[in-house]
Amino acid sequence: MKNTTLWAVVIIIVFFGILFGTTAFYIVDQTQQAIVLRFGNIISIKTEPGIYVKTPFIDNVVKLEKRIMIYDIPVERVITSDRRTILADTYALWRIEDPQKFIETLRTVEVAMTRIDDIVYSHARDVIGNYTFPEVLSFQRVAILEDIKNRSEASLQDFGINVVDVRLKRTDLPQENTEAVYERMKSERYAMAAQLRAEGEREAQRMKAEADREASMIRSDAQKEAEIIRGTAEASALNIYSEAYSLDQDFYELQKITDIYKDSFNNSVLVLPNDSPLLKLFYEVE
């Protein structure tokens, strides 16, 4: 009887020893941070990895992720400043920066993601609403995301959450608007092409008029110069004729009459009477 009682005591001691050992210690690895709660109150926070001691059956340990987490925000409709509805597909990178604030305000990661969803979408709607649809698709997209990230970070700071980044995976138009926007963009491109063609035509006409004006000036100058050269040549010819006439008047008259007959009866047979002045001159030469 005594042995049975002794064994029972030993078993109870071992049982409580094992139970104490499994409930008095807890492990925190490098990816975690732990909050020790006692009757709902925070009594300690462990952010470094290691083995720690707590009061068995009284203290409750809540472990939170220390690494950066990603929350894929559902696709939401957002209206731009030019009244176009777009589908914004965003996601947020975040981490628990202050475990105490996080436990006091949100308690769990699931509740935190719900709050992140509400806040990031609210700021995305407000920021994108200040830009036109082309601006959202342009290089200003980086500034838009930075603005959303800064606003979200400020709003979630009181919950112990640090927003590392906010990104837009894609920006689409709703299906019902796609065709209308496509037609509108096509019309705008046609109008732009027509304007460019008209400007090109005006520029071509201007250049052609300028070229015609310069050609006319060149022809006028050339004609003027030709007239001057022609006048100078005729004056020189008259001088030569005058000098030749003064040297031999008869030969000069013969030359002139010969030129007159040659010009008047080109490629023809010329019959001259005996008393022709031309033959008279030939006779005198003989």
Side-chain angles (χ1 to χ4, degrees):
M1 184 65 182
K2 290 183 179 179
N3 292 335
T4 304
T5 303
L6 181 60
W7 278 108
V9 172
V10 171
I11 292 173
I12 291 172
I13 292 173
V14 171
F15 173 76
F16 279 104
I18 296 174
L19 186 62
F20 179 81
T22 56
T23 57
F25 300 95
Y26 63 97
I27 299 173
V28 178
D29 65 30
Q30 63 271 20
T31 66
Q32 297 175 325
Q33 47 193 345
I35 298 96
V36 180
L37 302 173
R38 181 175 297 170
F39 306 119
N41 297 321
I42 298 175
I43 60 173
S44 66
I45 297 174
K46 306 297 181 185
T47 58
E48 297 298 326
I51 300 176
Y52 298 95
V53 180
K54 68 181 181 65
T55 303
F57 311 115
I58 297 177
D59 294 345
N60 180 32
V61 179
V62 177
K63 295 180 180 178
L64 299 174
E65 181 66 48
K66 195 163 63 176
R67 294 172 295 185
I68 294 175
M69 293 174 280
I70 182 171
Y71 177 59
D72 194 354
I73 301 171
V75 179
E76 299 284 357
R77 288 175 176 262
V78 179
I79 300 176
T80 60
S81 62
D82 52 354
R83 311 305 300 171
R84 292 185 182 178
T85 301
I86 63 174
L87 299 177
D89 190 358
T90 58
Y91 67 91
L93 299 176
W94 66 285
R95 64 184 172 193
I96 301 172
E97 188 176 53
D98 189 334
Q100 182 173 351
K101 286 184 179 179
F102 185 85
I103 288 296
E104 290 175 347
T105 55
L106 301 175
R107 307 294 295 184
T108 65
V109 173
E110 289 72 19
V111 176
M113 288 193 294
T114 303
R115 185 59 56 90
I116 292 172
D117 190 311
D118 294 338
I119 290 177
V120 173
Y121 168 64
S122 175
H123 290 314
R125 181 188 57 202
D126 294 341
V127 173
I128 294 176
N130 295 327
Y131 294 87
T132 63
F133 180 66
E135 289 173 341
V136 173
L137 300 180
S138 68
F139 63 91
Q140 296 190 19
R141 185 189 188 96
V142 176
I144 292 172
L145 293 175
E146 186 66 21
D147 195 3
I148 296 173
K149 180 256 182 184
N150 292 336
R151 294 190 186 195
S152 302
E153 186 176 19
S155 299
L156 291 168
Q157 193 173 15
D158 293 338
F159 299 101
I161 292 176
N162 175 34
V163 177
V164 178
D165 202 358
V166 175
R167 290 293 173 185
L168 269 173
K169 287 192 294 186
R170 59 190 177 92
T171 304
D172 294 333
L173 291 169
Q175 186 61 36
E176 61 271 20
N177 292 350
T178 302
E179 190 64 26
V181 172
Y182 172 73
E183 292 297 332
R184 180 178 175 182
M185 293 178 67
K186 189 168 68 173
S187 300
E188 291 175 351
R189 296 300 182 276
Y190 279 135
M192 184 181 298
Q195 181 181 356
L196 292 175
R197 282 195 294 270
E199 292 177 355
E201 184 65 25
R202 285 196 297 271
E203 183 66 15
Q205 292 178 355
R206 187 191 66 78
M207 295 178 66
K208 184 175 182 302
E210 182 69 18
D212 291 342
R213 187 184 65 81
E214 291 181 359
S216 177
M217 292 177 61
I218 293 173
R219 283 196 297 270
S220 176
D221 293 341
Q223 288 176 355
K224 184 185 297 182
E225 186 175 358
E227 291 294 336
I228 293 172
I229 294 173
R230 187 179 296 110
T232 303
E234 289 179 352
S236 299
L238 289 176
N239 290 333
I240 294 172
Y241 287 144
S242 177
E243 291 176 359
Y245 179 77
S246 62
L247 293 176
D248 190 341
Q249 184 176 357
D250 293 335
F251 179 77
Y252 178 76
E253 290 179 355
L254 175 63
Q255 181 67 36
K256 296 295 292 181
I257 292 172
T258 303
D259 291 340
I260 292 171
Y261 280 118
K262 182 174 66 176
D263 294 337
S264 301
F265 303 100
N266 189 24
N267 296 327
S268 300
V269 176
L270 179 64
V271 179
L272 299 176
N274 292 329
D275 57 349
S276 170
L278 180 61
L279 293 180
K280 179 182 179 183
L281 291 173
F282 281 117
Y283 293 151
E284 292 176 354
V285 172
E286 289 178 354

